[in-house]
């Protein structure tokens, strides 16, 4: 099983880094869809690789050009590719019974979590529940378990989950990625560069470190 990171410990380590070893922080914007197994496979590595991450939920259906559940062949290919990557990364992978259905309520709460600066905590908790435990994130009990793990106020999450007005923002984020050339999630924006696909996390992190080092000169 892969290493499970602890956010509080990592952030404390960053704060106590000796002054003469500090460089400009590596920053990125992470675009994700909680229904996507590759978001789960990438999320912990993203949190580990960057000093500062903006967590932005985006519609994978928009980026992909259609719902995955409408194409059984595509669903099978995604499952096979995700299983292969999970094995390479030594991460557990269980499929929710509802896969590949979208999880709109969970995505609305993810938008609320990101706005509350708890995006990392919520995405990591939700990903583990969905793709380690095989749970349906749009089940209110499971959704609120992820919210509680992220330290979110449950009443606020309940309102966010039912707020269909948030859906347009998620679709707009997907449309911007599609216009920029992305054809799948997750994606990472580093400066003006966009990297899409779970396998590009390391490449995006290297680009961010190069930018940070240049900024620190």
């Amino acid at each position: 099983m892969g290493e499970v990171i602890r956010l509080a410990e990592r952030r404390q380590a960053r704060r106590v880094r000796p002054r003469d070893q500090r460089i400009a922080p590596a920053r990125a914007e992470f675009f994700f869809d909680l229904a996507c197994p590759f978001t789960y496979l990438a999320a912990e590595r993203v949190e580990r690789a960057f000093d500062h991450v903006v967590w932005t939920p985006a519609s994978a259906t928009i980026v992909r050009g259609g719902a995955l559940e409408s194409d059984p062949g595509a669903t099978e290919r995604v499952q096979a590719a995700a299983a292969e990557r999970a094995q390479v990364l030594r991460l557990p992978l269980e499929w929710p019974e509802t896969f590949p259905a979208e999880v709109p309520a969970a995505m609305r709460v993810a938008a609320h979590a990101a706005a509350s600066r708890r995006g990392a905590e919520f995405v990591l908790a939700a990903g583990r529940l969905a793709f380690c435990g095989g749970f349906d994130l749009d089940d209110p009990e499971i959704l609120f378990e992820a919210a509680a793990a992220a330290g979110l106020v449950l009443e606020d999450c309940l309102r966010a989950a039912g707020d269909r007005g948030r859906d347009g923002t998620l679709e707009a984020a997907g449309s911007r990625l599609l216009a920029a050339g992305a054809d799948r999630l997750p994606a990472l924006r580093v400066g003006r560069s966009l990297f899409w696909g779970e396998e590009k996390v390391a490449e995006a992190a290297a680009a961010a470190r190069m930018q940070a080092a240049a900024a620190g000169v």
Side-chain angles (χ1 to χ4, degrees):
M1 182 179 296
E3 176 190 3
V4 176
I5 62 174
R6 293 175 173 81
L7 302 187
E9 293 178 2
R10 287 189 56 78
R11 288 167 180 162
Q12 177 64 20
R14 290 169 182 166
R15 284 195 294 269
V16 301
R17 182 182 297 169
R19 184 178 300 275
D20 60 359
Q21 294 181 14
R22 294 178 186 173
I23 60 174
R27 301 176 181 273
E29 184 175 8
F30 182 56
F31 298 90
F32 64 89
D33 190 319
L34 293 173
C36 172
F38 298 104
T39 286
Y40 153 70
L41 293 174
E44 294 200 19
R45 289 155 50 226
V46 167
E47 173 59 26
R48 184 183 297 118
F50 298 92
D51 298 289
H52 177 77
V53 181
V54 175
W55 298 76
T56 302
S59 170
T61 295
I62 296 294
V63 176
R64 190 183 299 112
L68 187 60
E69 59 187 325
S70 66
D71 187 342
T75 299
E76 291 177 1
R77 290 191 293 273
V78 165
Q79 288 184 295
E84 181 178 350
R85 286 297 294 164
Q87 186 174 17
V88 169
L89 297 168
R90 300 177 63 190
L91 288 172
L93 180 61
E94 297 289 339
W95 296 101
E97 291 184 4
T98 56
F99 183 83
E102 297 178 351
V103 288
M107 288 291 283
R108 294 167 194 155
V109 176
H112 165 68
S116 303
R117 299 185 179 181
R118 306 297 292 176
E121 291 82 355
F122 181 76
V123 173
L124 293 177
R128 292 166 187 165
L129 285 166
F131 293 104
C132 292
F135 295 107
D136 174 14
L137 286 178
D138 266 12
D139 179 328
E141 182 178 351
I142 301 304
L143 179 55
F144 295 143
E145 184 174 338
L152 295 168
V153 177
L154 297 187
E155 290 80 1
D156 293 341
C157 292
L158 179 62
R159 286 192 291 271
D163 183 3
R164 295 178 181 271
R166 295 178 180 269
D167 296 348
T169 301
L170 308 181
E171 293 170 359
S175 295
R176 289 195 301 273
L177 291 172
L178 184 63
D183 59 10
R184 61 192 181 278
L185 290 179
L188 282 156
R189 185 178 298 281
V190 175
R192 296 183 178 180
S193 300
L194 184 66
F195 303 81
W196 57 90
E198 169 272 327
E199 73 281 1
K200 293 295 185 68
V201 171
E203 184 178 342
R209 292 294 173 194
M210 289 180 63
Q211 289 189 16
V217 173

